[in-house]
Amino acid sequence: MTKYIIVAGGVISGVGKGVTTASIGKIIKEYGYSVTAIKIDPYLNYDAGTLRPTEHGEVWVTDDGGEIDQDLGNYERFLDMEIPKINNITSGQIYKTVIDRERKGEYLGETVQFIPHIPDEIRRRIKESSKGYEFAIIEIGGTIGDFENLPFLFAMKGMEREIGKENIIYILVSYMPVPEHMGEMKTKPTQQAIKLLSESGIFPDFIICRSLSPLDDIRKKKIETYANIPSDYVISEPDIDTIYRIPLDLEKESLGYKILSELRMKLRKRPTFRSWKELVKKIISPSKKIRIALVGKYLDIGNFSLKDSYISVNESLLHAGASLDVGVEIEWIDSKKLEKENAEKMLEGFDGILIPGGFGNSGVEGKISAIKYARENGIPFLGLCYGLQLAIVEYARNVCTLKDAHTTEVDKDTKNPVICILNSQKNIMENHDYGGTMRLGAYAATLKKDTKVLSLYRETGRLKEDREKLGNYKKSEQFRLGKMEDDSNVVLERHRHRYEVNPEYVSRLEEKGMVFSGCHIMEDGTSLMEYIELPQHNFFVATQSHPEFKSRLGNPSPLFYGFIKACSEKK
Ligand code: GLN
């Protein structure tokens, strides 16, 4: 039977529940158990695909094409596994399922009500996602006290009755503020969060306290008295230099061992975290440092900027850096402020330029200027998704002299639509509503011999890894593989886009020296360009995919690895 670990957050949002959940999963896995993680998002959106990234951070894409809250990314990175879209449960999905079922007559005769139908469906979904795992960690989004997360807490309490308290524990991740005018760490908000949680009949087994600095014994005792749990079950999680240190810090308080004992589980293995510790050390004190310009768009909300919109890109740069013993300093360049005239001034001194994914027309000319600057000045360049599309636009305009070349996403009537919507995508868009009309999830690409891209996938071991996965796709998911002549140079990356390189321009770009180093051939025979590179440049590579979704600490994404290596060598 699966053991459940429920993680809920108190006091403020953004307290770090996601990374804490991922860290707990990592710890339990290190003890030798199989672990999965589930994210509950109490909003009514069916999935995260239609959310604004400046509010919610990045949209994470799963292998099976789910558009999900970014926390799933942390789970995949820490647990080193591919998590399917069913592991994200939103209120929207729960209500839709119940209402669809009612319409089909599946509850015929019954009054369909909030209780029991909604909590029943929540538990059904949780059981489905956790099937086959020894542990399931469930993070309940939002903050204790929100109306929205009540049904989920109620469902968990029901689960406790059903499976027995020895099979489920609750962890409250709370926040301990240190108001500047007092200079003292306050426990009161946490006490109130405990009280609010108790209104759902839930008493936390552990309290993990996020704070500026470690918790002292006095504060731990105070919480012990209030929450009625031993003070050694009050765990300190202070701010630190890298999130990858969190599992190590939590283990200093033997969190894994304590959780296992609470759930009546034995130690299967003593964790060492050996290679993880070494990588963390390289993140904290690398032998060398480089500076990367991340030229993006979603950079501000009001007076604050949210760096979470590119969190996976960020993490991928760090992963590649850790493997190469190079520290990566990321600087955020707002593409709206970049123009032809100031590109040199704004980008001078960087060791590499990265253009991540994006949508729409704002800041597009700035990104194109940055690409031109990187190409003409031999600065290592990595383009992801929109980054590839705009690299094609730049090359078409400035090298192939198609002055008005553009993507039809920005200029519908351009005479040279080098990036456009292909018929196959048009059909999907006509048949769907707005949600889920992109090319989503993993797709195979066959890499061309003697290219930099192929050599990087080979060097990092990813070519072999992906090849082994090809056989795992179910019949209904075969479209992800498309047509391939042989599978020796096939790789899999995740996608999230509507537009493609227009096949009519490929030979013109090739004549001027651009190499299309990988493509996907759809079942109807259409070729989709997946990778480009410029052989005469020290590192100018872009991909239509989002390789940042498959990068792990200790197993970096091949293109990021190549990019950081080139940046570091150039320096
Ligand atoms: N806007 C582009 C498209 O839809 C690129 C998307 C992206 O970068 N994820 O094709």
Side-chain angles (χ1 to χ4, degrees):
M1 187 210 248
T2 309
K3 302 269 181 180
Y4 292 95
I5 301 171
I6 316 299
V7 180
V11 183
I12 54 167
S13 62
V15 70
K17 275 195 314 292
V19 179
T20 306
T21 304
S23 300
I24 295 169
K26 166 85 185 155
I27 293 171
I28 303 294
K29 205 171 168 184
E30 285 284 314
Y31 276 87
Y33 288 100
S34 66
V35 183
T36 190
I38 299 165
K39 173 76 195 284
I40 289 174
D41 283 310
Y43 48 68
L44 285 175
N45 299 59
Y46 191 79
D47 61 29
T50 51
L51 293 175
R52 191 176 300 124
T54 44
E55 247 170 68
H56 281 266
E58 159 190 288
V59 175
W60 174 261
V61 180
T62 59
D63 241 50
D64 58 353
E67 295 177 281
I68 310 229
D69 176 278
Q70 53 168 319
D71 283 320
L72 229 73
N74 283 322
Y75 304 167
E76 284 206 20
R77 285 189 278 268
F78 278 68
L79 290 170
D80 191 16
M81 68 190 283
E82 275 156 17
I83 297 183
K85 62 182 169 195
I86 55 160
N87 285 37
N88 178 233
I89 304 174
T90 68
S91 295
Q93 291 168 15
I94 298 291
Y95 284 102
K96 186 168 187 307
T97 311
V98 171
I99 293 169
D100 284 350
R101 245 187 238 154
E102 187 274 332
R103 291 290 79 192
K104 279 195 201 134
E106 287 180 29
Y107 304 105
L108 222 49
E110 276 178 67
T111 308
V112 180
Q113 285 176 300
F114 179 77
I115 292 175
H117 297 99
I118 296 296
D120 279 355
E121 173 56 17
I122 294 172
R123 284 191 291 268
R124 187 194 67 76
R125 277 291 302 274
I126 287 177
K127 286 180 194 155
E128 187 183 345
S129 310
S130 49
K131 208 185 277 158
Y133 288 95
E134 291 170 298
F135 284 84
I137 311 206
I138 302 166
E139 178 189 345
I140 302 185
T143 310
I144 300 301
D146 292 349
F147 280 118
E148 290 183 326
N149 59 28
L150 282 174
F152 297 99
L153 295 172
F154 189 86
M156 293 303 102
K157 190 63 193 169
M159 184 109 120
E160 178 190 317
R161 184 179 28 80
E162 198 181 309
I163 63 175
K165 181 67 189 80
E166 68 281 13
N167 294 314
I168 185 167
I169 58 164
Y170 304 98
I171 299 182
L172 173 67
V173 181
S174 193
Y175 181 66
M176 305 288 203
V178 183
E180 217 173 296
H181 66 286
M182 286 180 189
E184 187 199 339
M185 188 183 287
K186 305 303 284 179
T187 62
K188 185 73 76 195
T190 297
Q191 294 177 24
Q192 277 160 358
I194 296 165
K195 184 163 174 257
L196 278 171
L197 195 55
S198 74
E199 287 173 7
S200 296
I202 293 175
F203 300 92
D205 299 284
F206 291 88
I207 300 181
I208 297 184
C209 302
R210 291 277 303 108
S211 54
L212 208 61
S213 52
L215 231 65
D216 56 17
D217 288 342
I218 296 182
R219 270 142 203 100
K220 283 193 173 187
K221 275 275 173 222
K222 221 171 177 174
I223 296 172
E224 171 180 283
T225 322
Y226 197 87
N228 204 20
I229 63 169
S231 61
D232 58 343
Y233 278 34
V234 179
I235 310 284
S236 182
E237 193 193 313
D239 291 351
I240 31 138
D241 35 21
T242 163
I243 53 169
Y244 298 103
R245 232 178 77 182
I246 295 173
L248 307 176
D249 281 1
L250 295 176
E251 261 308 81
K252 281 190 193 140
E253 300 200 42
S254 309
L255 181 63
Y257 179 75
K258 291 172 189 169
I259 289 178
L260 291 179
S261 332
E262 269 311 290
L263 289 167
R264 323 264 156 91
M265 294 295 267
K266 290 203 185 76
L267 265 186
R268 190 172 285 166
K269 200 177 113 208
R270 214 165 259 294
T272 62
F273 290 98
R274 196 173 302 125
S275 59
W276 188 271
K277 274 184 187 157
E278 257 158 45
L279 291 160
V280 168
K281 216 191 288 161
K282 294 214 168 116
I283 294 180
I284 296 167
S285 43
S287 305
K288 190 173 178 181
K289 275 198 182 145
I290 56 166
R291 277 174 74 227
I292 303 295
L294 206 153
V295 183
K297 181 179 91 170
Y298 305 125
L299 295 177
D300 35 67
I301 8 166
N303 293 335
F304 300 91
S305 65
L306 190 85
K307 303 202 162 59
D308 274 3
S309 12
Y310 299 120
I311 179 169
S312 296
V313 173
N314 237 5
E315 298 308 312
S316 303
L317 289 167
L318 295 185
H319 297 163
S323 289
L324 291 157
D325 196 12
V326 174
V328 184
E329 223 174 84
I330 302 161
E331 213 152 301
W332 306 82
I333 306 284
D334 185 349
S335 55
K336 285 180 287 220
K337 295 194 184 125
L338 252 179
E339 284 153 19
K340 255 190 231 127
E341 297 70 38
N342 66 6
E344 185 168 346
K345 211 166 131 235
M346 283 185 77
L347 296 170
E348 210 184 333
F350 284 105
D351 303 305
I353 295 174
L354 192 152
I355 312 275
F359 292 86
N361 57 10
S362 113
V364 156
E365 290 304 322
K367 290 182 188 173
I368 294 173
S369 305
I371 296 168
K372 182 168 186 275
Y373 177 78
R375 184 178 58 76
E376 289 177 343
N377 294 282
I379 317 277
F381 164 77
L382 179 60
L384 309 175
C385 204
Y386 214 11
L388 171 136
Q389 298 176 354
L390 297 177
I392 298 268
V393 171
E394 191 280 323
Y395 209 73
R397 282 186 192 174
N398 300 321
V399 182
C400 305
T401 59
L402 302 168
K403 288 277 167 266
D404 56 353
H406 221 321
T407 159
T408 54
E409 180 169 359
V410 179
D411 180 0
K412 268 201 330 292
D413 307 315
T414 171
K415 278 205 228 75
N416 287 297
V418 287
I419 305 294
C420 64
I421 296 216
L422 300 182
N423 284 336
S424 47
Q425 199 60 32
K426 269 187 204 150
N427 295 341
I428 299 178
M429 288 169 74
E430 274 160 19
N431 296 334
H432 282 64
D433 299 331
Y434 200 77
T437 56
M438 285 192 252
R439 183 171 175 236
L440 287 168
Y443 282 91
T446 303
L447 304 182
K448 207 179 260 172
K449 292 211 174 74
D450 303 321
T451 58
K452 186 167 270 172
V453 172
L454 176 61
S455 75
L456 288 171
Y457 275 84
R458 194 174 279 137
E459 188 185 336
T460 49
R462 264 289 291 283
L463 191 63
K464 190 167 165 275
E465 246 178 70
D466 283 359
R467 202 141 129 236
E468 283 162 9
K469 284 184 193 152
L470 294 176
N472 297 349
Y473 285 92
K474 287 188 274 191
K475 219 163 176 204
S476 59
E477 298 274 303
Q478 284 296 309
F479 68 92
R480 302 198 173 278
L481 303 179
K483 277 190 180 167
M484 37 181 155
E485 274 166 21
D486 78 284
D487 65 3
S488 44
N489 291 331
V490 173
V491 295
L492 291 153
E493 293 288 4
R494 300 183 193 172
H495 292 68
R496 184 173 188 256
H497 62 112
R498 292 189 179 86
Y499 294 80
E500 301 282 352
V501 175
N502 187 342
E504 284 171 28
Y505 287 87
V506 168
S507 56
R508 253 183 283 182
L509 291 154
E510 278 175 333
E511 275 160 27
K512 292 286 181 187
M514 180 168 274
V515 170
F516 288 86
S517 23
C519 67
H520 170 91
I521 303 174
M522 293 174 73
E523 283 167 327
D524 68 3
T526 318
S527 281
L528 307 179
M529 298 304 129
E530 296 281 7
Y531 294 90
I532 58 166
E533 62 188 62
L534 294 179
Q536 64 275 37
H537 192 285
N538 61 20
F539 191 94
F540 191 101
V541 173
T543 173
Q544 186 56 78
S545 69
H546 286 280
E548 67 270 27
F549 295 136
K550 282 179 72 174
S551 173
R552 309 276 158 82
L553 188 62
N555 188 6
S557 162
L559 298 192
F560 282 86
Y561 178 87
F563 175 60
I564 296 298
K565 201 166 168 198
C567 298
S568 148
E569 278 164 7
K570 186 163 185 301
K571 191 178 180 122

